Amino acid sequence: MNGSCVFKFSLFVRLFVIILQVIFNRCVPDHNADAFRLPYEKGVGVSNTIVSYFLEGFSRWDAQYFLHISLYGYTHENTLAFFPFFPMLLRNSSKILSVIFPFSLSPLNCALLSGVLLNSILASLSTVALYKLTKRVFQSEIFAFTSALLFCINPASIFFSALYSESFFSLLTFSSLWALERGWFFIGLCGLGYQIYCYLLFCTSVVPEKELPEIVANFLVRNDLKVPSEPSKWCFWNIPLSYSYVQARYWDVGFLHYFSIKQIPNFVLAAPVIIIILLSCVKYFIKHRRELWHLGLIENKVYDTSDVYSNTKCFPYFIHMFLATVFCILFIHIQVVTRMLCSSSPILYWVAAAALLPANDRARFKLLKEHSQKNWLFDSLLFIKKIFLKSSIQGKIIFCYFVAYFLIGTFLHVNFFPWT
């Protein structure tokens, strides 16, 4: 078992998601969702038809915003809710693709194709980062390998292939945590820099407005969207932060704002991941009541790495996951919870791996010895089958949840149903 094996397995899963997306998107008509759709000129020719036919299911919901920003920039206030790094990657990868493959793809389809390829690579690198992080924390090859395989088929898998920032976000998260575990410290100021850019663009004349294609300019006028030349009220706040204003103004994000009768189905969809995480956090905190008094700030130099609930090195991870889950429930759109929690912490995969693997070290070592790397795909699938059959009832339930949402989530998202 090594990083190369989990990287290749992740690429295989991304290919499988593409195939599922094509099947689901072509067999079922799209739901007429009340969602943003970017303005664009439809590409003509065989190559554009092929890309649209096979990949357009990856351009649903927020992907429309990321595509819009990568093609036209921050043209109106709504777009400020989406951070710039992923659209920048998307724009530059599209330029590279257009040079390497000089076929006549429209800018939109070129961005769509490059985005799917980009996220396939980023998701696979995220899998390797999680594998290395887990191995560092638990000093266990089989635990790291199992966690990485579970990440490949996580309940929010569709968002790691679609044109969303989850793959990039999880890569930065897992690799940064791995670096911290190795004692490497750094400071990130990207979010602050972006807020300054938003202020300069929408509240001053420092950043000149871009000249937009006619189809985009007409779209902005037709939909009465607020453009940079029209300063908004957040520009005059003592601390002029656009993000909180835009989220509240255009998506009604706020404390308990999503608690309504009509949102019950979305709460039901999000319930499994919330229940798994909160129960595992409570179980961990009960076992480590002493650490709660100092929030793990006093280092414990004796680590029991045999189990996720015994390992005191996991304390800050559980604290972070618990607070993030509570924040998601109370403040954000509930249908976003699954993808946010699946990309922002390794805890879900560690808990799932602990439930699937035998508790006995000897049984784990036997599984490890039985695993061969001669055929990475067949052996990985056989390994998953073995741990599922030998797992506890709890492990089987969690694994079935992963697989079910892997399929259901893909079906819902690519057909514009509320799985955003």
Side-chain angles (χ1 to χ4, degrees), residues 154-195:
N154 75 74
S157 285
I158 181 60
F159 301 106
F160 291 83
S161 291
L163 271 64
Y164 276 58
S165 58
E166 263 60 29
S167 290
F168 184 56
F169 178 56
S170 62
L171 173 60
L172 292 179
T173 300
F174 298 151
S175 55
S176 298
L177 290 172
W178 174 73
L180 287 173
E181 288 292 343
R182 292 178 62 89
W184 301 345
F185 297 92
F186 44 86
I187 299 175
L189 298 174
C190 295
L192 179 57
Y194 171 62
Q195 292 304 312

Side-chain angles (χ1 to χ4, degrees), residues 224-282:
D224 194 25
L225 296 171
K226 186 178 285 293
V227 296
S229 59
E230 305 170 4
S232 187
K233 64 173 64 175
W234 62 267
C235 292
F236 305 100
W237 291 355
N238 292 331
I239 302 178
L241 297 178
S242 63
Y243 187 78
S244 56
Y245 173 81
V246 170
Q247 288 283 11
R249 169 69 176 81
Y250 298 102
W251 281 275
D252 193 30
V253 172
F255 180 62
L256 300 182
H257 283 196
Y258 226 58
F259 281 65
S260 61
I261 298 297
K262 67 178 182 179
Q263 298 301 338
I264 288 177
N266 288 323
F267 274 90
V268 172
L269 275 174
V273 71
I274 292 173
I275 292 171
I276 291 171
I277 289 173
L278 290 183
L279 288 180
S280 62
C281 286
V282 170

Side-chain angles (χ1 to χ4, degrees), residues 210-231:
K210 290 176 59 177
E211 186 174 342
L212 298 173
E214 185 178 356
I215 189 173
V216 180
N218 291 337
F219 174 84
L220 298 177
V221 173
R222 187 169 62 252
N223 291 278
D224 194 25
L225 296 171
K226 186 178 285 293
V227 296
S229 59
E230 305 170 4

Side-chain angles (χ1 to χ4, degrees), residues 131-140 177-178 181 303-305 311-314 317 346 350:
Y131 168 81
K132 290 185 175 182
L133 168 64
T134 308
K135 192 174 179 180
R136 183 81 183 181
V137 172
F138 291 90
Q139 302 296 312
S140 170
L177 290 172
W178 174 73
E181 288 292 343
Y303 302 120
D304 179 0
T305 59
N311 193 342
T312 53
K313 290 191 74 173
C314 295
Y317 294 94
W350 292 349

Side-chain angles (χ1 to χ4, degrees), residues 31 67 113 151 175 178 184 192 269 295 335:
H31 172 61
L67 282 167
L113 177 58
F151 175 71
S175 55
W178 174 73
W184 301 345
L192 179 57
L269 275 174
L295 295 178
Q335 63 259 46

Side-chain angles (χ1 to χ4, degrees), residues 355-411:
L356 279 165
L357 288 170
N360 185 281
D361 286 339
R362 182 175 295 179
R364 288 188 182 186
F365 182 74
K366 184 180 178 181
L367 273 174
L368 181 64
K369 295 293 287 183
E370 289 175 353
H371 181 76
S372 168
Q373 294 185 49
K374 293 179 181 178
N375 186 323
W376 60 268
L377 178 57
F378 176 78
D379 290 330
S380 297
L381 293 173
L382 184 61
F383 177 79
I384 292 174
K385 178 184 176 182
K386 283 183 179 179
I387 61 173
F388 173 75
L389 293 176
K390 295 180 180 180
S391 67
S392 62
I393 296 296
Q394 180 189 4
K396 287 182 171 63
I397 292 173
I398 292 176
F399 183 80
C400 289
Y401 159 63
F402 271 53
V403 174
Y405 269 54
F406 178 91
L407 299 172
I408 294 171
T410 302
F411 172 83

